[in-house]
């Protein structure tokens, strides 16, 4: 018996999109075909890539017969004589791998992997509505799956890239938000001295005009005194006027009081200067990225910046130890300190606020401890405080990135950051930085951007 | 007889500010200065103070809270907030609770501050000289109830003008006010003019932007022209600069966030109506809400338009 039709098996397409594209149009054999005939058919070129042949009766798939099975039969003593003329239905495998052509590649692969025998000696039948439609080759399925995985991996890598850039944007926006907060705070700090400095200068300007006028009159007097043609009456009038004005001036103590303003004015200008210097030290925009600094100095610089949120609300207690300098990126460490201090100020909702700042060195580490007596962090939140986007603040008030970035910064410095909190009592953050190790400048993007 | 110098009370937690301000006002005022808000209240308690200038950010008490207390204890004392940082809640509190005369930013212009304080002192002098009943303020201690919204007589039913895009707000106001008072709805500036032309309006409840057009200049000019009309601004808008200019140049009566809750909105409308009736019956009181001239150039074109409308109104009144 010959195959129902003979079509050459289609070559497997390289990256198959679906099961249909894996289908090879293989003419099946009927159950009545003899084993000997099957052995001949399977030698034909068009069946070369197949591990088995489909046995189909009027469209209904019945089983498969594999090269392995045929080899086993012919290897038997008198195998050819015993089985050669028997119909293939007697020796075929009755549990063929049947895969409906509307399954996805993944579903097909899953089914085949779960049901295929070992060692692999068969391919699978593709069916449409229960009827034989063609053959699928396991190796093709494997190739298609591999292509699929490669494609997924590429998509994943694109998505990962997008995620990375949007995280970088978020980190940047967090940085801008904290920068904005900081600038607003410092602007307020500057406005107070600026207020009285400006007022004082404007008043001195008025006094100056008054003095210039008075000086003009005195010059006039000198001129009259040296001018022989001057009228005596005019001279005496001017003299009288000037002495009255001088008397008033002394009485009003205008000059003394104005002079007193100079002290305040210079003090105000120096205050502004200090604030600006601090702002610069804090951001370190003009300094080296890495420097040997004392964390005590970092704390003091940050305190000036945070003053706006701490002032009138929180008593700051400093217990600084004698600590060696550490190599770090001061602007990043300051950002961490400011973040923790502003969180502390926000957590304090009563008027007996205290912020305890402690530093110490032990072994190879320098530690900074920042402790507040605010409302504390609930136990279930405590594990999440360093997670990106975790925030308990109302919408719009926190990005949820502050502590996550702080964590990354400290980690990039080879240090650790720890938190302990008791609800209703307060929270303590401890930052430990190693004395020896240089900060790895392969800081994560987040830390670098921050 | 030498007239008494007006009393000026300066409050700031920075002594250098006090010294500087004291120097600015020396000679013309009887000065009291303190860094302590509680002491400021003591001074208010024992002396008639014409003008108080207070910092916002101070220990113990915020400036807005101090000025609220001053309003309760001495409503005729003109209240000025002098602050280095424009915080939204300070602005809202200073309007709604402190009913302040001016919100001045640090650093200030000396000549300008002097003229503001001089003006405030003159107004305070008129207020202190007026019969007590005329200046009786609406204070929290005398909470206003909805029943007070009922007009004294049918003819005194002043309208409430709602300038809004959102019909919901109009309906809410209508629901609060009830049938006793007419409520008008204007969806743009021209409609608002139209209503003002046709009906007596006592209280305006307004957004700051309708149909993409800013109303701030119009609200300011209306206050300048009709000092007895009381404005409640209800907006989600949070630009501190604009809100401050609405205090100084528009003397808005209340600043309410959106969405408005009917309870507080009702209280505020009732209180605004009372305030309007008081302003109407005692012209001397209107000076308390004297406004600054508009300075923003972008608002001047709207100003021209509003002035045109006002001119039309006058023309009609004259014929």
């Amino acid at each position: 018996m010959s195959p129902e039709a003979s079509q050459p098996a289609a070559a497997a397409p390289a990256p198959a999109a679906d099961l249909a594209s894996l289908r090879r149009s293989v003419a099946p054999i009927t159950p009545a075909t003899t084993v000997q005939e099957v052995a001949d058919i399977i030698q034909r070129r068009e069946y070369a890539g197949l591990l088995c042949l489909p046995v189909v009766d009027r469209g209904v798939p019945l089983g498969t017969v594999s090269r392995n099975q045929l080899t086993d039969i012919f290897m038997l003593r008198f195998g050819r004589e015993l089985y050669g003329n028997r119909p293939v239905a007697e020796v075929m495998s009755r549990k063929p791998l049947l895969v409906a052509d509307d399954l996805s590649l993944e579903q097909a692969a899953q089914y085949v992997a779960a049901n295929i025998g070992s060692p692999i000696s068969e391919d699978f039948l593709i069916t449409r509505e229960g009827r034989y439609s063609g053959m699928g080759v396991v190796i093709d399925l494997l190739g298609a799956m591999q292509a699929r995985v490669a494609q997924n991996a590429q998509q994943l890598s694109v998505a990962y890239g997008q995620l990375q850039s949007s995280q970088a944007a978020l980190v940047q926006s967090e940085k801008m938000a904290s920068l904005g907060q900081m600038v607003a705070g410092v602007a307020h700090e500057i406005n107070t001295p600026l207020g009285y400095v400006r007022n004082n200068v404007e008043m001195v300007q008025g006094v100056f005009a008054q003095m210039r006028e008075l000086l003009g009159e005195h010059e006039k007097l000198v001129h009259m005194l040296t001018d022989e043609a001057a009228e005596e009456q005019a001279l005496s009038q001017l003299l009288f006027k000037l002495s009255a004005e001088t008397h008033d001036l002394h009485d009003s103590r205008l000059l003394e009081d104005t002079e007193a303003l100079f002290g305040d004015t210079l003090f105000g200008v120096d205050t502004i200067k200090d604030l600006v210097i601090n702002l610069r030290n804090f951001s370190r925009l003009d300094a080296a990225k890495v420097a040997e600094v004392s964390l005590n100095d970092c704390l003091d610089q940050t305190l000036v910046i945070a003053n706006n949120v701490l002032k009138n609300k929180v008593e700051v207690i400093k217990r600084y130890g004698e600590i060696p300098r550490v190599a770090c990126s001061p602007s990043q460490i300051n950002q961490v300190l400011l973040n923790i201090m502003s969180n502390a100020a926000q957590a304090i909702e009563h008027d007996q606020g205290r912020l305890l700042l402690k530093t110490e060195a032990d072994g190879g580490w320098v530690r900074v401890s920042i402790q507040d007596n605010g409302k504390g962090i609930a136990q279930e939140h405590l594990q999440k405080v360093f997670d990106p986007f975790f925030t308990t603040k109302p919408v719009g008030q926190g990005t949820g990135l502050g502590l996550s970035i702080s964590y990354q910064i400290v980690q990039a410095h080879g240090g650790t950051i720890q938190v302990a909190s008791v609800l209703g009592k307060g929270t303590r953050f401890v930052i430990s930085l190693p004395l020896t190790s240089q900060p790895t400048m392969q800081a994560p993007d987040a830390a670098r951007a921050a | 007889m030498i007239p008494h110098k007006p009393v000026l009370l300066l409050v700031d937690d920075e002594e250098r500010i006090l010294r500087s301000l004291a120097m600015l006002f020396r000679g013309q005022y009887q000065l009291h200065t303190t860094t302590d808000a509680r002491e400021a209240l003591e001074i208010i308690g024992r002396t008639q103070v014409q003008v108080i200038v207070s910092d916002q950010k101070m220990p113990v008490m915020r400036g807005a809270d101090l000025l609220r207390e001053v309003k309760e204890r001495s409503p005729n004392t003109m209240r000025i907030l002098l602050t280095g940082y424009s915080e939204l809640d300070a602005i809202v509190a200073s309007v709604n609770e402190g009913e302040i005369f001016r919100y001045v930013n640090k650093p200030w212009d000396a000549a300008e501050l002097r003229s503001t304080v001089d003006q405030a002192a003159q107004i305070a002098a008129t207020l202190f000289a007026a019969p007590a009943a005329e200046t009786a303020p609406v204070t929290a201690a005398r909470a206003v109830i909805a029943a007070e919204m009922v007009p004294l007589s049918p003819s005194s039913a002043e309208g409430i003008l709602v300038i809004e895009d959102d019909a919901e707000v109009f309906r809410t106001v209508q629901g609060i006010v009830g049938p006793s008072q007419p409520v008008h709805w204007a969806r743009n500036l021209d409609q608002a003019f139209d209503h003002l032309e046709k009906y007596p309006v006592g209280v305006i409840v307004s957004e700051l932007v309708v149909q993409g057009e800013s109303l701030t200049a119009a609200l300011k000019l209306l206050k300048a022209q009709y000092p007895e009309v009381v404005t409640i601004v209800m907006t989600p808008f949070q630009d501190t600069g604009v809100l401050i200019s609405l205090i100084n140049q528009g003397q808005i009566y209340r600043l309410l966030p959106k969405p408005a809750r009917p309870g507080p909105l009702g209280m505020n409308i009732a209180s605004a109506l009372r305030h309007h009736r008081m302003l109407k019956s005692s012209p001397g009181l209107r000076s308390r809400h004297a406004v600054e001239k508009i300075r923003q150039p972008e608002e001047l074109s709207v100003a021209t338009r509003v002035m045109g409308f006002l001119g039309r109104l006058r023309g009609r009144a004259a014929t």
Side-chain angles (χ1 to χ4, degrees):
Chain A
M1 283 250 180
S2 61
E4 286 179 343
S6 110
Q7 274 177 347
D18 57 10
L19 205 54
S21 63
L22 290 184
R23 190 179 69 88
R24 296 190 188 196
S25 299
V26 171
I29 49 177
T30 59
T33 316
T34 63
V35 172
Q36 181 61 56
E37 282 169 329
V38 173
D40 292 338
I41 293 168
I42 212 163
Q43 307 294 324
R44 293 185 194 159
R45 273 188 64 203
E46 60 257 40
Y47 297 112
L50 293 173
L51 292 174
C52 65
L53 294 182
V55 182
V56 176
D57 185 20
R58 281 159 291 184
V60 179
L62 297 179
T64 55
V65 54
S66 68
R67 288 177 196 275
N68 253 19
Q69 282 172 310
L70 292 171
T71 313
D72 286 351
I73 289 168
F74 290 111
M75 295 271 280
L76 285 174
R77 253 184 168 207
F78 309 112
R80 185 184 298 267
E81 288 72 16
L82 283 171
Y83 294 100
N85 291 321
R86 298 205 184 167
V88 72
E90 284 181 24
V91 300
M92 69 180 181
S93 149
R94 290 173 190 280
K95 284 183 182 166
L97 294 168
L98 295 177
V99 177
D101 69 351
D102 54 358
L103 290 184
S104 69
L105 275 180
E106 285 78 7
Q107 285 170 320
Q110 207 172 6
Y111 168 78
V112 170
N115 294 288
I116 200 163
S118 174
I120 293 171
S121 57
E122 58 182 332
D123 290 314
F124 55 95
L125 276 66
I126 297 174
T127 60
R128 169 166 291 179
E129 286 156 3
R131 299 180 67 79
Y132 174 79
S133 149
M135 284 298 289
V137 178
V138 170
I139 202 91
D140 290 350
L141 186 60
L142 213 63
M145 284 305 291
Q146 195 195 1
R148 177 65 57 91
V149 167
Q151 196 187 5
N152 285 352
Q154 207 219 330
Q155 281 170 351
L156 265 175
S157 119
V158 169
Y160 180 69
Q162 284 167 346
L163 209 63
Q164 253 183 337
S165 62
S166 66
Q167 158 144 22
L170 269 162
V171 166
Q172 181 67 11
S173 83
E174 159 72 19
K175 185 181 147 198
M176 292 315 287
S178 57
L179 202 67
Q181 195 188 5
M182 189 179 88
V183 168
V186 175
H188 178 225
E189 293 285 306
I190 287 179
N191 277 341
T192 295
L194 203 55
Y196 62 79
V197 166
R198 195 193 186 289
N199 198 53
N200 291 352
V201 171
E202 208 174 330
M203 287 187 298
V204 169
Q205 196 180 24
V207 174
F208 183 84
Q210 231 176 311
M211 290 305 115
R212 169 173 272 178
E213 201 180 315
L214 203 58
L215 187 65
E217 284 178 334
H218 276 276
E219 278 172 355
K220 210 161 123 194
L221 180 68
V222 172
H223 183 75
M224 279 174 113
L225 284 172
T226 53
D227 183 3
E228 287 183 4
E231 277 181 49
E232 197 147 322
Q233 202 191 345
L235 185 68
S236 78
Q237 263 177 3
L238 186 57
L239 253 173
F240 182 77
K241 183 173 174 246
L242 279 177
S243 95
E245 277 175 2
T246 312
H247 186 76
D248 283 353
L249 192 64
H250 283 301
D251 258 12
S252 69
R253 298 183 53 80
L254 178 67
L255 285 181
E256 290 81 353
D257 289 352
T258 306
E259 208 171 1
L261 291 180
F262 283 111
D264 282 355
T265 306
L266 288 174
F267 182 91
V269 172
D270 284 343
T271 308
I272 295 170
K273 183 192 79 183
D274 290 346
L275 282 164
V276 171
I277 288 178
N278 239 295
L279 203 55
R280 198 189 61 198
N281 285 347
F282 181 85
S283 61
R284 291 274 175 158
L285 292 175
D286 53 352
K289 281 260 181 265
V290 182
E292 296 258 335
V293 295
S294 160
L295 292 183
N296 292 348
D297 293 344
C298 287
L299 279 170
D300 283 338
Q301 284 161 11
T302 307
L303 272 176
V304 175
I305 303 298
N307 187 37
N308 188 48
V309 286
L310 298 174
K311 174 172 87 166
N312 298 340
K313 184 175 166 187
V314 178
E315 183 198 354
V316 177
I317 302 153
K318 296 183 194 175
R319 286 201 203 129
Y320 293 174
E322 292 277 322
I323 51 168
R325 291 167 171 266
V326 281
C328 64
S329 161
S331 70
Q332 288 188 3
I333 294 300
N334 284 348
Q335 189 186 346
V336 174
L337 298 177
L338 179 66
N339 187 269
I340 294 172
M341 282 189 207
S342 353
N343 283 347
Q346 279 176 10
I348 295 170
E349 292 171 340
H350 50 80
D351 49 10
Q352 265 99 48
R354 289 174 57 187
L355 188 68
L356 175 62
L357 307 177
K358 266 196 322 199
T359 56
E360 60 187 15
D362 65 80
W365 297 83
V366 177
R367 285 184 219 289
V368 180
S369 148
I370 300 174
Q371 184 175 347
D372 67 59
N373 62 346
K375 62 181 174 186
I377 304 167
Q379 209 57 41
E380 66 265 30
H381 293 157
L382 207 54
Q383 293 137 16
K384 297 188 203 153
V385 292
F386 297 116
D387 291 356
F389 309 114
F390 177 77
T391 181
T392 55
K393 294 175 195 170
V395 174
Q397 283 190 23
T399 55
L401 283 176
L403 280 176
S404 149
I405 289 168
S406 297
Y407 185 86
Q408 293 182 43
I409 290 174
V410 174
Q411 217 175 29
H413 279 81
T416 61
I417 179 167
Q418 286 159 321
V419 57
S421 188
V422 179
L423 214 53
K425 296 259 176 175
T427 303
R428 181 178 62 223
F429 280 89
V430 178
I431 300 157
S432 310
L433 294 181
L435 273 174
T436 46
S437 111
Q438 289 282 322
T440 52
M441 277 300 101
Q442 276 115 25
D445 276 349
R448 251 207 318 267
Chain B
M1 191 185 104
I2 305 159
H4 276 297
K5 286 181 187 168
V7 179
L8 173 61
L9 172 55
L10 304 169
V11 193
D12 200 301
D13 63 337
E14 169 59 79
E15 284 187 32
R16 290 174 189 85
I17 292 267
L18 292 178
R19 280 205 285 273
S20 185
L21 286 174
M23 183 75 183
L24 183 66
F25 292 108
R26 66 187 248 146
Q28 299 128 292
Y29 290 89
Q30 232 175 291
L31 288 172
H32 293 274
T33 60
T34 175
T35 55
D36 181 357
R38 281 170 303 199
E39 200 191 321
L41 287 174
E42 277 168 34
I43 295 168
I44 290 279
R46 61 169 192 261
T47 327
Q48 195 179 73
V49 174
Q50 268 72 31
V51 184
I52 177 171
V53 176
S54 171
D55 184 22
Q56 164 67 5
K57 220 165 185 178
M58 296 184 291
V60 186
M61 203 187 268
R62 292 184 312 163
D65 298 328
L66 170 64
L67 295 184
R68 183 193 62 220
E69 282 298 307
V70 170
K71 189 195 81 175
E72 298 283 330
R73 295 175 195 203
S74 172
N76 290 336
T77 300
M78 299 297 283
R79 303 169 292 276
I80 296 171
L81 200 66
L82 182 65
T83 169
Y85 191 37
S86 311
E87 288 164 306
L88 190 68
D89 42 340
I91 295 170
V92 171
S94 67
V95 175
N96 295 350
E97 296 161 29
E99 293 182 5
I100 61 164
F101 180 61
R102 292 291 181 266
Y103 191 107
V104 182
N105 277 312
K106 290 176 185 170
W108 61 93
D109 181 288
E112 230 172 78
L113 182 63
R114 185 150 40 192
S115 84
T116 301
V117 170
D118 288 350
Q119 189 191 9
Q122 274 166 23
I123 294 166
T126 335
L127 293 174
F128 277 115
E134 239 189 49
T135 61
V138 183
T139 62
R142 294 171 49 214
V144 190
I145 51 162
E148 291 191 56
M149 277 195 237
V150 176
L152 306 171
S153 66
S155 61
S156 71
E158 321 86 336
I160 292 160
L161 176 60
V162 179
I163 313 179
E164 253 298 342
D165 285 326
D166 185 359
E168 194 49 48
V169 173
F170 168 64
R171 280 195 290 272
T172 307
V173 173
Q174 234 178 1
I176 289 168
V177 174
S180 61
Q181 224 89 19
V183 180
H184 313 287
W185 181 22
R187 269 148 285 191
N188 56 45
L189 206 48
D190 289 323
Q191 282 181 6
F193 290 157
D194 207 43
H195 285 296
L196 282 165
E197 209 167 335
K198 285 186 188 141
Y199 314 103
V201 168
V203 173
I204 295 177
V205 178
S206 181
E207 239 301 353
L208 285 183
V209 176
V210 283
Q211 297 183 355
E213 188 175 31
S214 167
L215 291 176
T216 49
L219 292 176
K220 292 171 188 175
L221 283 157
L222 283 172
K223 188 65 185 176
Q225 294 298 318
Y226 300 101
E228 77 280 7
V229 175
V230 176
T231 312
I232 295 174
V233 167
M234 196 159 65
T235 183
F237 198 61
Q238 299 196 339
D239 183 321
T240 52
V242 169
L243 298 178
I244 291 169
S245 80
L246 279 168
I247 299 175
N248 295 342
Q249 296 159 15
Q251 276 290 292
I252 53 170
Y253 184 65
R254 291 289 183 265
L255 187 53
L256 305 179
K258 248 186 181 174
R261 287 176 299 144
L265 180 59
M267 288 269 290
N268 282 310
I269 290 177
S271 158
L273 264 174
R274 254 188 75 97
H275 195 67
H276 162 71
R277 282 172 198 160
M278 222 160 54
L279 291 176
K280 211 166 142 191
S281 63
S282 49
L285 212 53
R286 292 176 205 167
S287 62
R288 187 186 280 167
H289 300 290
V291 294
E292 238 175 37
K293 277 212 171 66
I294 289 186
R295 288 182 244 178
Q296 292 83 344
E298 68 275 15
E299 290 188 345
L300 288 175
S301 66
V302 183
T304 320
R305 206 166 126 210
V306 176
M307 292 317 281
F309 151 72
L310 293 169
R312 279 207 318 275
L313 261 190
R314 286 227 188 71
R316 275 162 50 123
T319 52

